[in-house]
Amino acid sequence: MPGSKHKKILIIGSSGAGKSTFSKQLAKKWDLPLVHLDSLYWNEGWVPVSKDEFIEKVKKKLEEDQWIIDGNFNSTLEWRVKYADLIIFLDFRRTLCTYRVLKRVWKHHGKTRDDMASGCNEKLDWDFLKFVWGFPSKVRPTILKVLSEAGKSRDICILRNPKELKTFLNTVSPVK
């Protein structure tokens, strides 16, 4: 069960599941530093860093003593899982995630969210919507496979809806 021994927490799930909001709340509650993978990957204007640079940035963060890291990026998932002592998978319905993505674009259109790199104003394109809609069939199986393989040595918590997420936040506390 989550608690005091958890100093490296990985939060994964579809875009729109609420990873960034949840990770901010958990980081504040558990007093842990927070890393958003999007801010490591994107340069201003939605220009991605090179694959090698991204990997180096992620590796450097993973070696720190404590953190909460949120984000997808399957290219580094297995490494992040190996370093994490608690993995939280927000396994929410595609309809909810799609709705939240559309709501987020409406709310933040033309502005940069605080979990993004500077100069990455909120936007929406068809490929991103297809990614969100296809997440359960295209990305989720890989995540479940990685989690299954890591389950013997890591604590894993799968939250399936906002009510379970809220219950987790309200009931699970680190012991000082």
Side-chain angles (χ1 to χ4, degrees), residues 102-152:
L102 294 171
K103 181 179 170 184
R104 181 175 73 196
V105 169
W106 178 262
K107 181 179 178 183
H108 298 284
H109 184 72
K111 298 179 242 171
T112 301
R113 298 187 332 262
D114 61 355
D115 57 309
M116 291 299 300
S118 177
C120 290
N121 292 345
E122 190 67 30
K123 65 177 187 155
L124 183 64
D125 61 42
W126 185 245
D127 286 339
F128 182 62
L129 271 180
K130 285 193 305 188
F131 172 78
V132 175
W133 191 258
F135 188 92
S137 59
K138 295 180 180 168
V139 180
R140 182 178 182 269
T142 300
I143 290 173
L144 291 175
K145 181 178 185 281
V146 170
L147 294 183
S148 174
E149 292 167 359
K152 298 162 188 69

Side-chain angles (χ1 to χ4, degrees), residues 11-27:
I11 300 173
I12 55 179
S14 176
S15 301
K19 295 181 303 294
S20 296
T21 301
F22 176 60
S23 64
K24 289 175 202 173
Q25 294 167 330
L26 196 60

Side-chain angles (χ1 to χ4, degrees), residues 15 19 30 33 57 77 87 114 125 140 158 160 162 173:
S15 301
K19 295 181 303 294
W30 287 15
K57 287 180 174 185
L77 179 62
I87 302 153
D114 61 355
D125 61 42
R140 182 178 182 269
I158 299 177
R160 301 195 187 281
S173 298

Side-chain angles (χ1 to χ4, degrees), residues 10-12 19-20 34-42 49 54 57-59 61-62 68-77 80 115-117:
L10 180 58
I11 300 173
I12 55 179
K19 295 181 303 294
S20 296
L34 176 57
V35 178
H36 300 288
L37 287 180
D38 280 334
S39 66
L40 298 180
Y41 183 77
W42 295 106
V49 299
F54 179 62
K57 287 180 174 185
V58 171
K59 283 183 178 180
K61 291 295 180 183
L62 291 174
I68 293 176
I69 296 178
D70 79 18
N72 286 317
F73 296 95
N74 279 350
S75 62
T76 62
L77 179 62
R80 289 180 284 133
D115 57 309
M116 291 299 300

